[in-house]
Amino acid sequence: MPRYTVHIRDEWLAVPCRDPTYTIQWLGYEALKRYTKNKPDNGGINAVKDIRFVTRRCQGQGLLDGDDTIEDVLEDNDFVEIAIEGDTMSPDFIPYQPGVSHLTAAYRESDDNLFLDGNSLTSTDLVNLGRGLYKIKLTSEAENGVVKSRELLDTIVKENKVVYGITTGFGKFARTVIPVHKLKELQENLVRSHSAGVGNPLSPERTRMLLALRINVLAKGYSGISLETLHRMIQAFNASCLSFVPEKGTVGASGDLAPLSHLALGLMGEGKMWSPKSGWADAKYVLEAHGLKPISLKPKEGLALINGTQMITSLGAEAVERAQAIARQADIIAAITLEVLKGTSKAFDSDIHALRPHPGQIEVAMRFRALLDSDHHPSEIAESHRFCDRVQDAYTMRCCPQVHGIVNDTIDFTQKIINTEINSATDNPMVFAERGETISGGNFHGEYPAKALDFLAIGVHELAAISERRIERLCNPSLSELPAFLVNEGGLNSGFMIAHCTAASLVSENKVLCHPSSVDSLSTSAATEDHVSMGGWAARKALRVVEHVEQVLAIELLAACQGIEFLRPLRTTTPLEKVYDLVRSVVKPWIKDRFMSPDIEAVHRLLLDQKVWNVAQPYIEKYNMELLPESRPISPTAFSLDPPASPRKRIRLE
């Protein structure tokens, strides 16, 4: 029998429906009957049949027509809300940051598990957890470590030992000893008082990443969390019950205290929370609607939940994964531009790059050869200017291996830092069960990921800077031998004139965003935290820089494909024609002026989904495999989109 979860005022009610042809109006009245039945005073409602109300979906707040049948507008176990006329509704819709959320738009509960042990999670795994591709389970080894760590803490409390954060206050109050009967209140007060962030909430994906990463760190067994609390966190993650976490407020010193406190606050049943089924509501009701209980904090558990670099690191993981994806695709886009501008592939000769053997430079040059090598992929466009008098190309084409190459090496460096941080214990004090003691240290300091993400922003920005110059060459007839702004009837049509301006504006924004945040420090907590990393801002702006790079390269790809239109019937190489066909599957050629923004967004989506890379990758990989072993610059496994799956970590439930 289908059932529906209905939110009325401050309660969630499960309403079964024997006949799905009943109307939404019936569902509303049935829910109201159940609501009044549970209230001594009928909730102030004298006659249900006289009540006027509206019904809306909890997710997205869309109004439902009372005359529609349930089967036409709802799915089994949908969440709906009854707004009684005259009431002030409690949970207002809280918008996310711009962009389509995978969890909001197309969430499907996963049947696959990712086993966490605190030691083997990768940035790719974390991004996939954020997208809802896996549920979480703990390995048995991790559970045993958590139990042993907690047993030591319970002993410390029982013996009335004075230990920072367990039986004392925090920061400036570290010397204030707290009575045993107030230790639970101490932890709850810590979470509540530290929930002082501001700004828009993190998107569902980013909140899932944040929660997953905190679970992974606690699974290491050095935080003193109880297994019961950790299991409740995992249950909330698996149900996608996600706390309201403002994006601003961390200085990255004692970790990301404010964001992680907001994360913990929702798990305690306080503040706001969101799930794909319920939308935004008070946290205790969202948990209740999913059959979950709020966590009840034991000594040290509040500190264990909020002390660490997980916001910096989870956002950094997304930034580095997206940077890696766009860097690969930047080589393909630049290769198309080179073809359209009738450049030469001689600058990518392997002997040149062997003399300056930076790994990224060698790899990028190899990709260009794989896409442009006439022996593998004849190009009619290249053949048409084989005997021209041009000696060499502009730097924006000729120096792609050198410029794109350092971006690749920067991404590799950053990814190593982030993957190490993902599997690091970063709270304080650390609980060493085998030594039978707790030790205060500074692993919570965010300088490592902060510095790496500032470096990432500076590095990946250059992909946009050089791309914008290539867009200029495509649009400028004195440099391209193509119609001005890549359109016929110039003057009547403006073509790519303002698309280039958009690219220029994004590059200019990036120049400001690339100013490193980690060179700044402001003393906080009465000079106890007297040097901080500002890593939260480093992570957020790195993500913004990466997004701008994606958008600039989307514009270049559109412009390059438009340039091909003016060279027809000549064809470029097979892999680049495949990329052209992919773009044309979502964007038509520019015959006359039209609304351009949707075109840019459509191609940006191709880049986000790595479809441009997926089309070209087989050709690059085949070229690399055909090289002699002694001259092969990199291993074919370098082109794998995902690391090999570990059978121990991924298990599909039957």
Side-chain angles (χ1 to χ4, degrees):
M1 180 189 305
R3 71 168 195 161
Y4 304 92
T5 305
V6 183
H7 187 217
I8 301 178
R9 290 177 175 166
D10 59 352
E11 291 190 7
W12 291 94
L13 303 165
V15 180
C17 178
R18 293 185 176 85
D19 187 348
T21 62
Y22 288 166
T23 64
I24 293 294
Q25 191 82 351
W26 172 88
L27 178 65
Y29 280 126
E30 186 68 20
L32 283 167
K33 288 178 186 176
R34 292 168 181 266
Y35 173 77
T36 58
K37 184 178 179 181
N38 293 333
K39 294 286 184 291
D41 61 348
N42 293 329
I45 297 172
N46 295 322
V48 169
K49 59 182 177 59
D50 295 332
I51 292 295
R52 299 183 64 180
F53 61 88
V54 295
T55 310
R56 63 188 183 189
R57 287 180 180 275
C58 289
Q59 179 184 323
Q61 307 290 283
L63 288 175
L64 298 170
D65 191 321
D67 294 330
D68 283 342
T69 63
I70 292 172
E71 65 182 355
D72 287 340
V73 294
L74 295 179
E75 297 180 5
D76 185 19
N77 204 27
D78 249 347
F79 284 62
V80 297
E81 185 165 20
I82 302 298
I84 300 173
E85 188 176 274
D87 276 358
T88 300
M89 297 306 298
S90 54
D92 293 327
F93 177 67
I94 305 173
Y96 309 121
Q97 54 195 17
V100 177
S101 165
H102 169 80
L103 290 182
T104 305
Y107 177 72
R108 293 291 181 271
E109 192 169 297
S110 176
D111 292 328
D112 294 335
N113 287 323
L114 191 67
F115 277 73
L116 298 187
D117 57 10
N119 301 308
S120 53
L121 192 67
T122 67
S123 57
T124 304
D125 291 333
L126 188 57
V127 169
N128 286 335
L129 283 167
R131 293 173 57 203
L133 300 186
Y134 300 107
K135 290 183 177 179
I136 284 175
K137 281 192 174 183
L138 295 180
T139 64
S140 57
E141 294 86 355
E143 289 188 340
N144 291 336
V146 168
V147 169
K148 290 178 181 178
S149 177
R150 186 64 214 178
E151 287 174 348
L152 175 59
L153 275 187
D154 290 338
T155 300
I156 289 172
V157 174
K158 186 176 180 180
E159 295 177 354
N160 292 318
K161 293 182 178 179
V162 177
V163 179
Y164 171 74
I166 302 173
T167 57
T168 74
F170 311 98
K172 186 68 174 177
F173 301 116
R175 297 183 180 181
T176 303
V177 179
I178 309 299
V180 173
H181 69 279
K182 289 191 174 183
L183 293 184
K184 182 177 187 296
E185 183 181 355
L186 170 70
Q187 299 300 318
E188 292 172 344
N189 286 346
L190 174 70
V191 173
R192 290 167 184 149
S193 65
H194 284 46
S195 297
V198 296
N200 292 328
L202 297 179
S203 69
E205 290 89 344
R206 290 174 183 170
T207 309
R208 274 178 63 93
M209 290 173 66
L210 182 63
L211 179 54
L213 186 51
R214 194 64 212 160
I215 291 169
N216 188 63
V217 169
L218 296 174
K220 290 184 74 69
Y222 294 95
S223 303
I225 198 83
S226 69
L227 192 58
E228 176 189 8
T229 297
L230 190 52
H231 278 161
R232 287 190 182 180
M233 293 176 69
I234 293 170
Q235 289 167 357
F237 176 90
N238 290 341
S240 282
C241 292
L242 307 173
S243 304
F244 179 99
V245 180
E247 63 181 3
K248 300 176 184 178
T250 175
V251 295
S254 286
D256 299 314
L257 290 174
L260 289 172
S261 294
H262 281 277
L263 186 72
L265 190 71
L267 297 170
M268 289 167 55
E270 301 180 26
K272 295 290 185 183
M273 185 173 268
W274 178 93
S275 83
K277 292 180 179 179
S278 71
W280 284 105
D282 293 336
K284 62 180 178 179
Y285 301 126
V286 176
L287 291 171
E288 182 181 312
H290 288 79
L292 303 178
K293 294 180 179 180
I295 60 177
S296 178
L297 297 181
K298 301 175 179 63
K300 210 270 186 183
E301 288 197 317
L303 192 57
L305 290 175
I306 73 171
N307 208 206
T309 62
Q310 280 65 61
M311 179 166 164
I312 305 172
T313 308
S314 60
L315 295 183
E318 180 186 345
V320 79
E321 287 290 313
R322 287 173 64 173
Q324 189 175 68
I326 196 60
R328 291 166 170 165
Q329 295 173 111
D331 298 343
I332 300 164
I333 295 166
I336 300 175
T337 297
L338 183 138
E339 276 283 271
V340 170
L341 295 176
K342 298 182 178 179
T344 177
S345 61
K346 289 183 179 179
F348 312 122
D349 188 286
S350 60
D351 287 344
I352 292 176
H353 300 282
L355 299 177
R356 196 193 193 194
H358 293 294
Q361 177 176 331
I362 289 175
E363 183 175 353
V364 172
M366 185 280 299
R367 287 179 184 165
F368 272 82
R369 293 195 302 276
L371 296 168
L372 298 171
D373 192 323
S374 59
D375 291 337
H376 284 74
H377 309 296
S379 165
E380 294 174 351
I381 294 175
E383 191 62 32
S384 71
H385 61 88
R386 179 178 295 275
F387 302 107
C388 69
D389 58 359
R390 188 182 304 168
V391 177
Q392 57 188 16
D393 295 319
Y395 289 2
T396 50
M397 295 183 286
R398 193 193 338 161
C399 298
C400 280
Q402 292 79 3
V403 177
H404 290 202
I406 182 55
V407 178
N408 281 266
D409 289 340
T410 301
I411 292 168
D412 288 346
F413 167 80
T414 307
Q415 190 168 44
K416 290 174 183 175
I417 297 289
I418 293 297
N419 280 336
T420 298
E421 194 74 5
I422 282 173
N423 296 295
S424 296
T426 57
D427 48 342
N428 183 61
M430 309 305 302
V431 181
F432 294 90
E434 293 182 358
R435 292 173 56 172
E437 63 179 316
T438 64
I439 303 176
S440 290
N443 278 1
F444 47 65
H445 201 294
E447 200 73 10
Y448 260 101
K451 279 285 187 280
L453 291 169
D454 278 338
F455 188 21
L456 178 70
I458 293 168
V460 76
H461 155 74
E462 214 58 41
L463 294 176
I466 196 170
S467 173
E468 182 274 329
R469 290 292 81 204
R470 291 193 297 262
I471 296 170
E472 157 70 11
R473 301 190 76 83
L474 287 165
C475 291
N476 188 335
S478 65
L479 300 174
S480 68
E481 302 177 11
L482 297 169
F485 304 113
L486 300 169
V487 69
N488 287 320
E489 295 187 82
L492 176 63
N493 296 302
S494 296
F496 280 71
M497 180 188 295
I498 305 305
H500 173 236
C501 289
T502 299
S505 74
L506 294 173
V507 170
S508 180
E509 282 191 37
N510 274 2
K511 291 176 182 178
V512 176
L513 291 170
C514 283
H515 177 83
S517 64
S518 62
V519 299
D520 184 31
S521 177
L522 289 170
S523 179
T524 59
S525 193
T528 303
E529 301 164 1
D530 56 349
H531 182 276
V532 303
S533 73
M534 298 300 178
W537 176 225
R540 288 193 294 115
K541 68 186 184 64
L543 267 172
R544 193 180 301 180
V545 168
V546 172
E547 182 178 40
H548 290 168
V549 170
E550 294 164 347
Q551 291 164 334
V552 171
L553 281 158
I555 292 170
E556 182 186 354
L557 181 53
L558 274 171
C561 288
Q562 179 64 16
I564 287 178
E565 306 297 340
F566 296 103
L567 301 180
R568 293 299 193 210
L570 300 179
R571 296 177 64 81
T572 183
T573 66
T574 301
L576 297 184
E577 285 289 342
K578 294 291 185 183
V579 174
Y580 168 87
D581 291 341
L582 172 67
V583 173
R584 288 290 171 251
S585 71
V586 297
V587 175
K588 295 179 181 178
W590 196 270
I591 306 301
K592 60 180 181 179
D593 281 354
R594 61 175 187 263
F595 184 19
M596 181 173 274
S597 185
D599 292 1
I600 298 172
E601 180 56 38
V603 175
H604 184 202
R605 174 53 55 184
L606 293 180
L607 297 175
L608 282 173
D609 294 340
Q610 300 194 51
K611 291 185 177 179
V612 171
W613 172 253
N614 292 341
V615 164
Q617 180 207 5
Y619 297 94
I620 297 173
E621 191 172 74
K622 185 173 185 292
Y623 177 88
N624 192 46
M625 291 293 291
E626 289 176 355
L627 295 176
L628 293 174
E630 60 269 17
S631 63
R632 186 178 300 159
I634 53 176
S635 167
T637 57
F639 300 103
S640 174
L641 291 176
D642 295 303
S646 168
R648 180 184 64 80
K649 291 174 63 180
R650 293 175 174 81
I651 296 179
R652 184 171 182 85
L653 299 179
E654 297 299 334

